Structures are given as C-alpha cells and as structure tokens.
Amino acid sequence: MIDWTRIDTVMLDMDGCLLDLHYDNCLWNELVPARYGQAQGISADEARQRLYGHLLGKDRDLEFYCIDFWTRRTGLDIAALHHELAHLVDYRPGAAAFLDWLRGRARTLLVTNAHRASLAVKDRYSGLSQRLDGMLSSHDFGAPKESGAFWDRLSGAEPFDPARTLFIDDTRTVLDAAKGHGIGHLLTISQPDSGRPPRDNLEYPAFNDFNELIEHG
C-alpha cells in the first residue's frame, strides 16, 4: 500500500486513527449528555439535542474541540469526565506496533484537533508520546485541521516536504485540507470506532489494521 522509500514524515491523527474512537463517542455522546441532563433536570436525549443540535450540518471550528468551551457551555468539569472513561483509552489494531516499527524509518508526528487537556489524558493512559517524535494540537495553531490556515501554520512551525509525507486521518474534510496543501500520501481508517461497523464508500484509500502498513521480511 505504501512505498516507504518515498516517505520521510508520517503524520497521524489520534482519535479514530491511533486510538479507538469508542472512547470519545462514549464520552461525548453518552457521558456528557447524561451528566448535563442530570444537572439541568432533562433527559439525556434532550441534553444531547440542546448541546449538539445546532452543530448538525455545520463545519467544525476550533471551539468545537475546545475543552474550555464545553466546560463553560455545560457547567461540568469536562477534563475530569475524561478520566472516568480512562479504561476505554486503547490503541487501534496494530497502531502501537506500527509506531514502534517506524522508529528510525520516518519522522512521526501526532497531528490532532484534540485540546491539550484531552491529549494529556490520553497520553497518560496510552503512553503515545513515548512512541512519537512530536505531538501537535491544532489549538497551538489557532485553526482546526479542516482549515487551510492550519496547514500553512504547521508548515511554518514544523518544516516538512509535503510530497514525501504520509498523513492518516479518519475525517474526509481534514484529508481534503491536507490534499489541498499538497500532502502526497493520504490514507483513512475504515473502522475508527471498534463499537460501530466499518465504513464503506470512502473517498480515500482505507485500511483498518496498521499491520497492513508494516513491511515484513
């Protein structure tokens, strides 16, 4: 799938790529609405609609990924809620082995929309930072990965050759932005959440197990 002689840099998303998106879906779709509903005296379904209904069909801005914003929005300690589901923080199939295999073969960078507070929790329970050359959050650049501004600012901070870069992400709009910046090698994930069925009819080449990308022999 990949000609590794043409790759110098590997950029990887975190949630739904290196780590199982099941954690985030349980956190944001179940735990946060349940606790917000309890605080407001409404059902979890009504809480979910009140929190997220206005976002349906809209492009996500940086605020959507901001823990501080959701703490203000809900009145809940969102960072603390992250720890309650720590047992669900887990690598996706083959991800840890893939990162270990890449050592010495390519520069590896985590490139995520996750807020630094969320990133710290997941790193604590997964040890991601020990397997990577760098961990970059879009909050450091003032724009989400879906934005061309993010990629322009990233290039200024972390020089890399787009033509010799592999980027893996589970979100089409993010991959579109990376493609617009000239990233030469793009892959997506067929099953970001282990608790949901694999996706099909994806617009970018897809795989599920990172062992598929490791050269053996």
Side-chain angles (χ1 to χ4, degrees):
M1 183 178 285
I2 296 294
D3 180 357
W4 289 104
T5 65
R6 301 174 59 195
I7 305 296
D8 295 329
T9 302
V10 179
M11 297 182 179
L12 305 115
D13 179 42
M14 181 171 65
D15 304 315
C17 181
L18 290 175
L19 299 183
D20 193 340
L21 192 60
H22 186 58
Y23 169 91
D24 285 84
N25 283 335
C26 287
L27 173 67
W28 294 104
N29 295 335
E30 297 176 22
L31 183 59
V32 170
R35 295 293 174 80
Y36 181 69
Q38 290 171 4
Q40 298 296 316
I42 59 177
S43 70
D45 286 341
E46 185 177 348
R48 195 175 295 110
Q49 178 62 30
R50 186 179 296 183
L51 290 173
Y52 309 137
H54 68 290
L55 297 171
L56 295 177
K58 294 185 178 180
D59 292 336
R60 296 177 176 180
D61 57 21
L62 197 60
E63 198 172 58
F64 177 86
Y65 302 102
C66 181
I67 299 302
D68 296 333
F69 167 77
W70 288 109
T71 297
R72 293 192 300 269
R73 178 78 175 81
T74 63
L76 303 173
D77 188 342
I78 299 296
L81 292 183
H82 274 66
H83 291 279
E84 291 191 30
L85 297 179
H87 61 284
L88 296 179
V89 176
D90 195 16
Y91 284 97
R92 292 196 59 266
F98 177 66
L99 292 178
D100 293 342
W101 178 80
L102 278 176
R103 282 290 186 191
R105 289 181 170 86
R107 184 166 181 247
T108 56
L109 297 173
L110 183 74
V111 180
T112 179
N113 274 328
H115 187 270
R116 282 287 175 182
S118 176
L119 182 54
V121 172
K122 291 166 186 175
D123 185 33
R124 174 178 174 181
Y125 295 107
S126 69
L128 259 178
S129 61
Q130 300 173 31
R131 289 187 156 104
L132 294 155
D133 294 314
M135 302 179 73
L136 308 172
S137 168
S138 59
H139 296 264
D140 301 333
F141 301 95
K145 293 189 299 181
E146 294 88 337
S147 166
F150 168 81
W151 293 96
D152 291 340
R153 295 166 190 173
L154 175 64
S155 295
E158 297 282 344
F160 61 94
D161 182 351
R164 295 184 60 82
T165 296
L166 167 64
F167 177 53
I168 306 175
D169 199 287
D170 65 307
T171 303
R172 181 188 60 80
T173 51
V174 172
L175 290 163
D176 288 345
K179 182 178 180 180
H181 190 74
I183 303 297
H185 308 271
L186 300 166
L187 293 175
T188 194
I189 304 295
S190 59
Q191 190 179 15
D193 181 341
S194 64
R196 298 182 180 183
R199 307 178 297 173
D200 53 20
N201 299 319
L202 299 170
E203 297 188 19
Y204 291 90
F207 71 99
N208 191 54
D209 191 325
F210 276 91
N211 285 303
E212 298 175 43
L213 306 185
I214 296 175
E215 288 184 344
H216 299 280

